[in-house]
Amino acid sequence: MILRQAVTDVDPAFEFAAEVREGLLRPGQKELPSKYLYDEVGSALFEVISALPEYGLTRADQRLLRENSAEIVSHLTSPVLVAELGSGSGKKTRYLLEALDCRQQTRYCPIEISHTALTMCARELGDIEHISIVGFEREYLDGLLEVADHRRPGEQLLVLFLGSTIGNFDRPADVKFLRAVRRILQPGDALLLGTDLIKPTPQMLDAYDDSLGVTAAFNLNVLARINREVGGNFVLPHFDHEARFNPETRSIEMHLRSTRRQNVSIARAGLTVTFSEGETIWTESSHKYSRPELLQLAMAAGFRCKQQWVDEEWPFAETLLTAE
Ligand code: AVI
């Protein structure tokens, strides 16, 4: 894999401390940005979550790609330049790349902020014969802009945004993000969007509050990370993991509930914050879509729906969109 890394003079711990400060001082509901769930420990815990019996999302995404990749790539005109936003380990992308491999030499560009994920992805997909990998260690849109700059004449760009990561954006940030993606594309380029669909509330709650407690550990790890990286003194057993369904936004929310009145200091954020008993920190939202809502979202962002595949076992949609 060729790797393109960003040159930056911003100290990541400084940025982390500033965002923690802002989120914990927010009037009303305290918050932490969900991107901080994914350090090395968090990413490894997420891999375990993906294998849990209660969390069918990743398996549904994989099943759809395994069963439909040939049909998905049949909608594309050769040659294709593939850019994936948040490739993770790259396991499910294999099906699409193998389907493309039968047709032509293809360039695949995973875009990830995590160096570890890019390395895992290159190891996972490096053996596919006609695929060359160029990894971009970047934020999604910065990376996509750079990939688009490397487009060769006549190449169609296919953007992959799988695993329902779009559901972790607040609304209307999701449509704003898709519009920004659309602006980088040319008419006729494609976006394959994976989204988790609405299902019965108990099933959704179990998926985010599994019986082994892996999701609880994933959630609490953000406090451990604050302790490790920016000098916090959170006592982890003084917080409980909580998953709740918000019917207004149709999202599962993850919170960390303070089990007592307590003060927590975070040295690098220059902050001491008081928690009352029962007060929560909101750490993540995971939006669940309906099919009509998905189509509206795509249209509002400047895309047209080419085809949609839905998993029967675990309602989840793979939607192929083209830039108008
Ligand atoms: C990455 N993302 C799509 C996952 C989700 O389902 O929202 C993150 C996750 N959070 C808790 N479990 C999984």
Side-chain angles (χ1 to χ4, degrees), residues 53-212:
E54 293 96 332
Y55 191 81
L57 191 155
T58 309
R59 281 186 297 280
D61 197 14
Q62 266 170 9
R63 240 184 336 264
L64 285 170
L65 294 175
R66 191 178 60 228
E67 287 163 14
N68 302 294
S69 279
E71 194 178 4
I72 293 170
V73 307
S74 75
H75 288 286
L76 306 170
T77 49
S78 308
V80 184
L81 170 63
V82 183
E84 179 161 19
L85 308 178
S87 58
S89 69
K91 270 184 206 146
K92 51 186 178 288
T93 314
R94 169 171 287 277
Y95 302 113
L96 282 165
L97 295 180
E98 282 179 346
L100 282 165
D101 168 49
C102 308
R103 290 184 3 183
Q104 73 215 16
Q105 185 72 38
T106 300
R107 291 189 299 147
Y108 167 61
C109 303
I111 301 166
E112 261 291 346
I113 44 168
S114 156
H115 183 83
T116 319
L118 277 177
T119 314
M120 269 159 60
C121 173
R123 209 176 300 137
E124 172 72 30
L125 302 172
D127 65 324
I128 310 176
E129 208 178 334
H130 298 112
I131 305 290
S132 53
I133 306 178
V134 184
F136 287 78
E137 199 176 316
R138 299 275 195 287
E139 299 276 346
Y140 294 153
L141 293 175
D142 293 343
L144 188 58
L145 264 172
E146 230 182 298
V147 173
D149 273 353
H150 286 78
R151 175 204 290 262
R152 293 178 186 149
E155 253 178 351
Q156 183 186 21
L157 184 52
L158 166 67
V159 179
L160 306 178
F161 197 25
L162 305 174
S164 205
T165 304
I166 186 75
N168 296 133
F169 286 62
D170 288 334
R171 286 175 312 146
D174 56 356
V175 70
K176 261 180 74 181
F177 179 78
L178 291 185
R179 272 195 199 125
V181 170
R182 169 63 194 88
R183 278 196 294 273
I184 299 173
L185 304 186
Q186 292 176 2
D189 284 341
L191 167 67
L192 184 66
L193 185 66
T195 44
D196 203 18
L197 300 178
I198 191 98
K199 44 188 76 61
T201 307
Q203 192 183 2
M204 291 191 291
L205 285 173
D206 283 355
Y208 292 83
D209 195 7
D210 62 278
S211 51
L212 266 178

Side-chain angles (χ1 to χ4, degrees), residues 16-17 223-234 264-271:
F16 185 21
L223 303 186
R225 185 174 178 189
I226 293 173
N227 290 351
R228 282 193 297 269
E229 294 180 24
V230 288
N233 67 353
F234 280 101
V264 174
S265 298
I266 299 151
R268 284 206 63 174
L271 177 72

